[in-house]
Amino acid sequence: MTKNMIYLDYNATTPTAPEVAEAMIPYLSDFFGNPSSSHWFGQQTKKAIEKARIQLASLLNCSAEDLIFTSGGSESNNYALKGYVLANQHKGRHIITTEIEHPAVTEVCKYLGTQGFEISYLPVDETGRVNITDVEKAIRKDTILISVMYANNEVGTLQPLAEISVLARKNDIAFHSDCSQAIGKVPVDIQELGVDMLTVAGHKFYGPKGIGALFIRKGIVLKKLIHGADHEGNKRAGTENVLEIVGLGKAAELAQENLKSEIEKEQKLKSKLRSGLSLLNDVKFNGNNEYCLPNTLSVSFRNLLANDILSEMKHIAASAGAACHTDSISVSATLKAMKIPQDYVMGTIRLSVGRYTTEEEIDIAIKEISTAVEKLRNMGKQCDRTV
């Protein structure tokens, strides 16, 4: 990491692992062939792609042939949602999702809402978790797709995917999950979760940016979004991004090897961070204590503004949950859905640890965050505009 800077924003993106970068280097120079070519140069890159597909399939416990590579999580979500409903609209035009999805899902749903589809946005409880009864009540005869993320990127709450999948199968409804934030942080077993489609984003688990994947269970029919040649099982046209596919495969291999030890480490660091910050007055921690990512801590400081806190933290990289503008406060959809009290919500920041975070960095972070909060309170600085 950069000297004197502490990175606590692993949910935004992760650094590319050195092992991943090393695996990619040969594909910048020596192995440059087009995977569709039948000669030696093309066959070397084709083999590399299939190796990466197997590496990712092993991590997710699925068949390699059910995975296609994409440009990232946003494309995978777009393809899953648009592709499925456009190919299956003769069965119905109703979609179920939640109020706390990533914009790569909610914006797609908004678009589909302008195209004659009806979207049900399910609420969540105060911990950010959807109620399985609400899912069941939302199902209609014309429901064709359910899309629920596994791990929320802001507060780290995990959703009951296995239970939802039972309802989906019972009612012959396709089930998609954006697992971008969960992969590499908690076990993601496709067979246990029971999903029909699953989104992967490489840069969330130490792979390169600009590469992702989509699991598509056999029998699921999607309408193509990108037309051209028959790449990726004739599901996604375009010469494969070999360099980054290799990186994604290596990242998946490392995630599988290190998952247990990293969960234990991140839980310990998160607990230490929470304990240190809990000594401050008027502090609220957001999310579900039982069903949660091991690395994510969402914390709200009463009557303070997140942007002010981040500005005072000169050596720490983190994210804000709310921003104070000239005449309003912008609060994330997740925090709104969780109904975080107004005097806390505007002072919400997200701290997320990762593979390269150390205990020493956590000690420093606790001191710097505490100092920033106390300084702002002593100054009487707060945002008094309404959400």
Side-chain angles (χ1 to χ4, degrees):
M1 293 300 170
T2 303
K3 188 177 181 181
N4 297 326
M5 288 297 298
I6 297 174
Y7 188 72
L8 296 180
D9 205 16
Y10 279 81
N11 283 12
T13 193
T14 55
T16 302
E19 301 93 330
V20 170
E22 184 178 358
M24 293 168 63
I25 288 173
Y27 296 88
L28 277 169
S29 53
D30 298 340
F31 303 109
F32 57 84
N34 187 322
S36 297
S37 299
S38 59
H39 49 61
W40 184 88
F41 293 95
Q43 291 309 297
Q44 303 317 301
T45 50
K46 183 177 178 62
K47 288 177 183 177
I49 290 173
E50 296 316 311
K51 177 183 177 181
R53 208 184 306 272
I54 291 170
Q55 289 169 315
L56 182 58
S58 180
L59 173 65
L60 301 177
N61 190 22
C62 67
S63 172
E65 63 185 23
D66 292 339
L67 290 169
I68 66 164
F69 293 113
T70 68
S71 64
S74 292
E75 183 190 330
S76 293
N77 285 336
N78 270 263
Y79 189 24
L81 272 64
K82 292 178 186 174
Y84 187 82
V85 300
L86 292 177
N88 295 275
Q89 56 186 311
H90 60 283
K91 300 178 183 177
R93 300 175 70 84
H94 179 234
I95 303 165
I96 297 172
T97 188
T98 77
E99 294 179 350
I100 62 166
E101 299 299 310
H102 189 278
V105 167
T106 57
E107 290 301 311
V108 178
C109 287
K110 288 178 183 178
Y111 166 75
L112 291 172
T114 68
Q115 304 301 304
F117 293 91
E118 188 174 348
I119 321 297
S120 293
Y121 297 92
L122 301 183
V124 293
D125 63 21
E126 66 276 5
T127 73
R129 191 166 161 90
V130 71
N131 190 315
I132 193 69
T133 302
D134 288 338
V135 179
E136 188 169 19
K137 288 180 179 178
I139 293 174
R140 310 186 324 202
K141 289 183 179 180
D142 61 340
T143 305
I144 59 171
L145 177 65
I146 298 173
S147 182
V148 177
M149 61 168 36
Y150 192 11
N152 181 266
N153 48 297
E154 294 185 48
V155 299
T157 298
L158 300 176
Q159 303 301 334
L161 297 194
E163 296 175 61
I164 296 173
S165 72
V166 172
L167 288 176
R169 285 195 300 271
K170 179 182 176 182
N171 292 277
D172 194 26
I173 300 168
F175 183 28
H176 163 259
S177 181
D178 180 354
C179 288
S180 299
Q181 203 60 248
I183 295 171
K185 299 184 181 75
V186 293
V188 177
D189 186 316
I190 283 175
Q191 305 314 316
E192 290 184 2
L193 297 179
V195 296
D196 297 304
M197 294 175 284
L198 181 145
T199 290
V200 178
H203 76 105
K204 299 294 188 181
F205 59 104
Y206 309 96
K209 297 172 181 62
I211 187 67
L214 179 65
F215 163 77
I216 308 169
R217 191 178 294 280
K218 288 182 181 65
I220 294 293
V221 178
L222 305 181
K223 186 172 183 179
K224 269 187 172 182
L225 294 189
I226 301 176
H227 295 83
D230 59 356
H231 307 89
E232 292 300 291
N234 200 26
K235 291 183 173 68
R236 198 248 187 201
T239 301
E240 294 89 347
N241 186 353
V242 181
L243 175 71
E244 295 196 354
I245 288 173
V246 168
L248 178 61
K250 185 63 178 181
E253 180 184 281
L254 293 172
Q256 187 168 15
E257 291 175 355
N258 301 321
L259 186 59
K260 184 177 179 181
S261 61
E262 290 191 351
I263 288 175
E264 293 173 355
K265 172 191 172 181
E266 290 173 4
Q267 286 176 330
K268 182 179 179 180
L269 294 175
K270 172 183 171 180
S271 178
K272 185 181 184 71
L273 186 57
R274 177 170 178 148
S275 295
L277 296 179
S278 66
L279 298 177
L280 293 166
N281 294 323
D282 294 329
V283 172
K284 183 182 186 306
F285 297 100
N286 310 306
N288 192 294
N289 292 329
E290 182 179 1
Y291 304 103
C292 58
L293 292 176
N295 80 315
T296 307
L297 187 67
S298 173
V299 55
S300 300
F301 299 94
R302 187 170 181 265
N303 287 336
L304 292 183
L305 175 63
N307 283 357
D308 287 341
I309 299 170
L310 295 180
S311 294
E312 287 294 328
M313 292 160 31
K314 305 300 183 184
H315 306 101
I316 299 173
S319 291
C324 193
H325 305 291
T326 303
D327 56 0
S328 66
I329 300 172
S330 175
V331 177
S332 76
T334 294
L335 298 180
K336 284 183 179 179
M338 292 170 63
K339 296 179 173 59
I340 305 299
Q342 184 174 314
D343 53 346
Y344 279 96
V345 72
M346 60 190 179
T348 301
I349 63 174
R350 181 190 67 190
L351 305 163
S352 47
V353 302
R355 183 175 294 172
Y356 307 113
T357 311
T358 66
E359 286 198 49
E360 181 183 9
E361 287 179 326
I362 295 300
D363 288 331
I364 296 171
I366 291 170
K367 291 179 181 178
E368 185 157 338
I369 296 169
S370 300
T371 299
V373 168
E374 293 294 357
K375 179 181 177 180
L376 291 169
R377 284 177 173 164
N378 290 335
M379 292 170 60
K381 189 168 185 179
Q382 63 184 36
C383 186
D384 57 5
R385 289 178 288 277
T386 58
V387 176

